[in-house]
Protein backbone atom coordinates (compact mmCIF):
# COMPACT_ATOMS: atom_id res chain seq x y z
CA UNK A 1 0.00 0.00 0.00
CA UNK A 2 2.99 2.33 0.16
CA UNK A 3 3.90 2.12 -3.52
CA UNK A 4 2.41 4.77 -5.82
CA UNK A 5 2.29 2.29 -8.70
CA UNK A 6 0.31 -0.17 -6.56
CA UNK A 7 -2.15 2.56 -5.55
CA UNK A 8 -2.74 3.49 -9.17
CA UNK A 9 -3.23 -0.17 -10.09
CA UNK A 10 -5.75 -0.61 -7.23
CA UNK A 11 -7.68 2.42 -8.47
CA UNK A 12 -7.59 1.66 -12.20
CA UNK A 13 -8.61 -1.97 -11.74
CA UNK A 14 -11.52 -1.10 -9.43
CA UNK A 15 -9.97 -2.89 -6.46
CA UNK A 16 -9.93 0.30 -4.38
CA UNK A 17 -13.68 0.75 -4.81
CA UNK A 18 -14.35 -2.90 -4.00
CA UNK A 19 -12.28 -2.98 -0.83
CA UNK A 20 -13.60 0.31 0.53
CA UNK A 21 -17.31 -0.53 0.31
CA UNK A 22 -17.28 -1.21 4.05
CA UNK A 23 -16.54 2.46 4.73
CA UNK A 24 -20.19 3.27 4.00
CA UNK A 25 -21.82 0.13 5.41
CA UNK A 26 -22.81 1.43 8.85
CA UNK A 27 -24.90 4.57 8.89
CA UNK A 28 -25.60 4.88 12.62
CA UNK A 29 -23.44 4.49 15.67
CA UNK A 30 -26.24 2.69 17.53
CA UNK A 31 -26.46 0.06 14.80
CA UNK A 32 -22.72 -0.44 14.99
CA UNK A 33 -22.70 -0.70 18.80
CA UNK A 34 -25.67 -3.08 18.83
CA UNK A 35 -24.01 -5.43 16.33
CA UNK A 36 -21.99 -6.91 19.21
CA UNK A 37 -18.41 -6.72 20.44
CA UNK A 38 -16.98 -9.26 17.99
CA UNK A 39 -18.60 -7.61 14.96
CA UNK A 40 -17.46 -4.19 16.21
CA UNK A 41 -13.91 -5.48 16.63
CA UNK A 42 -13.80 -7.05 13.16
CA UNK A 43 -15.42 -4.09 11.44
CA UNK A 44 -13.15 -1.67 13.30
CA UNK A 45 -10.04 -3.52 12.11
CA UNK A 46 -11.36 -3.62 8.56
CA UNK A 47 -12.32 0.06 8.56
CA UNK A 48 -8.90 1.06 9.89
CA UNK A 49 -7.14 -0.83 7.10
CA UNK A 50 -9.45 0.61 4.45
CA UNK A 51 -8.88 4.11 5.78
CA UNK A 52 -5.11 3.53 5.74
CA UNK A 53 -5.28 2.47 2.10
CA UNK A 54 -7.32 5.56 1.26
CA UNK A 55 -4.85 7.75 3.18
CA UNK A 56 -1.94 6.37 1.16
CA UNK A 57 -3.83 6.99 -2.09
CA UNK A 58 -4.55 10.56 -0.95
CA UNK A 59 -0.87 11.19 -0.23
CA UNK A 60 -0.16 10.36 -3.88
CA UNK A 61 -2.96 12.69 -5.02
CA UNK A 62 -5.52 9.99 -5.82
CA UNK A 63 -9.08 9.38 -4.56
CA UNK A 64 -9.43 12.83 -2.97
CA UNK A 65 -12.78 13.26 -4.74
CA UNK A 66 -14.20 10.22 -2.88
CA UNK A 67 -14.56 12.38 0.22
CA UNK A 68 -17.92 13.85 -0.81
CA UNK A 69 -19.43 10.37 -1.18
CA UNK A 70 -17.85 8.93 1.97
CA UNK A 71 -18.29 11.86 4.36
CA UNK A 72 -21.85 11.00 5.50
CA UNK A 73 -20.71 7.56 6.63
CA UNK A 74 -17.50 8.87 8.16
CA UNK A 75 -19.22 11.56 10.19
CA UNK A 76 -20.28 9.08 12.90
CA UNK A 77 -16.59 8.52 13.64
CA UNK A 78 -15.79 12.26 13.66
CA UNK A 79 -18.32 13.30 16.28
CA UNK A 80 -17.59 13.02 19.99
CA UNK A 81 -19.85 10.09 20.93
CA UNK A 82 -21.89 9.24 24.00
CA UNK A 83 -19.13 7.42 25.78
CA UNK A 84 -21.27 5.54 28.24
CA UNK A 85 -22.80 3.37 25.49
CA UNK A 86 -19.36 2.54 24.16
CA UNK A 87 -18.05 1.76 27.64
CA UNK A 88 -21.12 -0.33 28.54
CA UNK A 89 -20.65 -2.49 25.43
CA UNK A 90 -16.85 -2.50 25.81
CA UNK A 91 -16.26 -1.15 22.29
CA UNK A 92 -14.63 2.19 23.08
CA UNK A 93 -11.23 0.99 21.84
CA UNK A 94 -12.72 -0.10 18.52
CA UNK A 95 -14.57 3.20 18.09
CA UNK A 96 -11.56 5.39 18.82
CA UNK A 97 -9.34 3.31 16.51
CA UNK A 98 -11.62 4.18 13.60
CA UNK A 99 -12.04 7.80 14.73
CA UNK A 100 -8.29 8.25 14.94
CA UNK A 101 -7.79 6.85 11.45
CA UNK A 102 -10.57 9.04 9.99
CA UNK A 103 -8.86 12.11 11.40
CA UNK A 104 -5.56 10.95 9.92
CA UNK A 105 -7.31 10.66 6.54
CA UNK A 106 -8.58 14.22 7.00
CA UNK A 107 -5.04 15.33 7.79
CA UNK A 108 -3.90 13.82 4.49
CA UNK A 109 -6.80 15.52 2.71
CA UNK A 110 -5.85 18.92 4.15
CA UNK A 111 -2.44 18.56 2.55
CA UNK A 112 -4.19 18.44 -0.84
CA UNK A 113 -5.98 21.76 -0.32
CA UNK A 114 -5.18 24.36 -2.97
CA UNK A 115 -3.54 27.58 -1.85
CA UNK A 116 -6.44 29.62 -0.46
CA UNK A 117 -4.86 32.97 -1.38
CA UNK A 118 -3.67 31.99 -4.83
CA UNK A 119 -5.65 33.42 -7.73
CA UNK A 120 -4.34 30.86 -10.17
CA UNK A 121 -3.57 27.18 -10.04
CA UNK A 122 0.02 26.05 -9.79
CA UNK A 123 1.52 25.11 -13.09
CA UNK A 124 3.05 21.69 -13.45
CA UNK A 125 5.61 20.49 -15.89
CA UNK A 126 4.52 18.30 -18.77
CA UNK A 127 5.67 15.09 -17.07
CA UNK A 128 3.85 15.57 -13.78
CA UNK A 129 0.66 13.64 -13.17
CA UNK A 130 -2.48 15.60 -12.41
CA UNK A 131 -3.18 15.44 -8.69
CA UNK A 132 -6.65 15.85 -7.22
CA UNK A 133 -7.19 18.60 -4.68
CA UNK A 134 -9.63 18.86 -1.83
CA UNK A 135 -12.22 21.63 -1.58
CA UNK A 136 -12.06 24.42 1.01
CA UNK A 137 -15.84 24.28 1.50
CA UNK A 138 -15.41 21.06 3.55
CA UNK A 139 -12.91 22.53 5.97
CA UNK A 140 -15.07 24.67 8.27
CA UNK A 141 -17.43 21.96 9.52
CA UNK A 142 -14.55 19.50 9.91
CA UNK A 143 -12.59 21.95 12.04
CA UNK A 144 -15.66 22.33 14.26
CA UNK A 145 -15.89 18.54 14.65
CA UNK A 146 -12.17 18.29 15.40
CA UNK A 147 -12.36 21.11 17.94
CA UNK A 148 -15.09 19.23 19.80
CA UNK A 149 -12.46 16.58 20.59
CA UNK A 150 -10.29 19.24 22.26
CA UNK A 151 -12.95 20.22 24.82
CA UNK A 152 -11.89 17.80 27.53
CA UNK A 153 -14.96 18.32 29.71
CA UNK A 154 -17.10 16.94 26.83
CA UNK A 155 -15.08 13.71 26.80
CA UNK A 156 -16.53 11.97 29.82
CA UNK A 157 -13.72 9.48 30.46
CA UNK A 158 -11.11 12.24 30.35
CA UNK A 159 -13.12 14.59 32.53
CA UNK A 160 -13.48 11.75 35.08
CA UNK A 161 -9.73 11.28 34.99
CA UNK A 162 -9.14 14.99 35.53
CA UNK A 163 -11.63 14.97 38.42
CA UNK A 164 -9.87 11.91 39.85
CA UNK A 165 -6.53 13.67 39.64
CA UNK A 166 -8.00 16.66 41.43
CA UNK A 167 -9.66 14.58 44.17
CA UNK A 168 -7.20 11.67 44.26
CA UNK A 169 -10.08 9.19 44.34
CA UNK A 170 -8.95 5.75 43.18
CA UNK A 171 -12.50 4.58 42.41
CA UNK A 172 -12.74 6.75 39.28
CA UNK A 173 -9.36 5.80 37.82
CA UNK A 174 -9.54 4.75 34.18
CA UNK A 175 -7.54 2.09 32.47
CA UNK A 176 -4.42 3.30 30.71
CA UNK A 177 -5.60 1.83 27.41
CA UNK A 178 -8.78 3.93 27.45
CA UNK A 179 -6.82 7.08 28.23
CA UNK A 180 -4.20 6.35 25.58
CA UNK A 181 -6.76 5.62 22.87
CA UNK A 182 -8.69 8.81 23.62
CA UNK A 183 -5.49 10.83 23.58
CA UNK A 184 -4.61 9.35 20.16
CA UNK A 185 -7.93 10.59 18.74
CA UNK A 186 -7.39 14.03 20.23
CA UNK A 187 -3.89 14.06 18.77
CA UNK A 188 -5.20 13.08 15.33
CA UNK A 189 -7.89 15.76 15.51
CA UNK A 190 -5.21 18.34 16.39
CA UNK A 191 -3.05 17.19 13.46
CA UNK A 192 -6.04 17.72 11.18
CA UNK A 193 -6.56 21.24 12.51
CA UNK A 194 -2.84 21.98 12.25
Amino acid sequence: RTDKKNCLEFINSGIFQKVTWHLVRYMSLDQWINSGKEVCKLSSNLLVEQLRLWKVCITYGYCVSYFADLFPALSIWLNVPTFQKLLDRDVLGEFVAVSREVYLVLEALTKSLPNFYSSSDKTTDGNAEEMESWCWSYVGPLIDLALDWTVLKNITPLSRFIDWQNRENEDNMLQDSVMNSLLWVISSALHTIC
Side-chain angles (χ1 to χ4, degrees), residues 103-127:
Y103 275 109
L104 292 174
V105 166
L106 294 180
E107 179 189 6
L109 283 166
T110 61
K111 293 176 182 176
S112 73
L113 283 167
N115 185 337
F116 188 76
Y117 298 105
S118 175
S119 60
S120 63
D121 294 329
K122 293 179 184 176
T123 59
T124 59
D125 62 24
N127 296 330

Side-chain angles (χ1 to χ4, degrees), residues 133-184:
S133 63
W134 203 34
C135 181
W136 276 99
S137 63
Y138 297 124
V139 174
L142 293 175
I143 288 176
D144 291 339
L145 289 170
L147 284 173
D148 286 345
W149 281 96
T150 65
V151 181
L152 298 183
K153 68 180 180 179
N154 292 343
I155 302 173
T156 311
L158 285 177
S159 63
R160 285 185 195 157
F161 180 74
I162 292 167
D163 288 344
W164 171 78
Q165 290 286 7
N166 292 336
R167 292 187 310 225
E168 295 183 354
N169 182 353
E170 291 185 31
D171 294 336
N172 291 331
M173 189 168 151
L174 293 172
Q175 296 176 357
D176 287 341
S177 62
V178 171
M179 291 299 297
N180 287 340
S181 58
L182 288 169
L183 292 174
W184 277 111

Side-chain angles (χ1 to χ4, degrees), residues 7 11 16 52-63:
C7 285
I11 295 162
F16 178 83
R52 287 177 179 167
L53 174 62
W54 188 24
K55 182 176 60 179
V56 170
C57 291
I58 290 167
T59 60
Y60 290 126
Y62 305 130
C63 303

